[in-house]
Amino acid sequence: MGSHMINHETMYGLSGGIYWVFMLFRGVAGFILPLILLYLIYRFLKRKDGEFLQKSETPLERLKMRLVKGEITKEEYEELKKIIEN
């Protein structure tokens, strides 16, 4: 009867001292790949201005957006701006 021991060199098709390089690469990849994934998630969630997700707008910012969208006139903007600032 033959030996029941597993020969890793034969199992992975690697011969000589190259097996440890393969195992080292697996270990490094197992550590680096999750870090890269976490970094990509972080970059996806981070806005260009450095804030995460959506920051809350001030009333004046909302008023400016209404003016830009054409929802209010310049005169209405100036009147509402005075009310907000007081």
Side-chain angles (χ1 to χ4, degrees):
M1 302 247 150
S3 174
H4 294 289
M5 294 181 64
I6 297 174
N7 184 349
H8 291 291
E9 292 175 355
T10 306
M11 189 166 111
Y12 292 108
L14 303 172
S15 60
I18 195 83
Y19 178 72
W20 70 271
V21 174
F22 172 71
M23 292 307 292
L24 180 66
F25 176 74
R26 262 185 70 196
V28 170
F31 179 74
I32 297 294
L33 290 177
L35 291 178
I36 292 172
L37 181 62
L38 288 173
Y39 174 75
L40 291 174
I41 291 170
Y42 168 80
R43 292 291 297 177
F44 178 74
L45 293 177
K46 186 176 177 188
R47 292 177 45 163
K48 291 180 183 179
D49 60 359
E51 295 289 327
F52 281 97
L53 300 177
Q54 184 176 2
K55 67 175 185 174
S56 60
E57 296 178 347
T58 65
L60 189 56
E61 289 172 342
R62 288 183 186 174
L63 186 61
K64 287 178 186 177
M65 287 305 298
R66 289 184 64 197
L67 177 65
V68 170
K69 291 179 181 179
E71 295 175 0
I72 58 174
T73 65
K74 178 76 172 167
E75 292 79 23
E76 291 173 315
Y77 171 79
E78 293 298 330
E79 186 178 322
L80 292 169
K81 182 180 175 186
K82 287 179 188 177
I83 294 171
I84 289 172
E85 290 177 341
N86 290 332

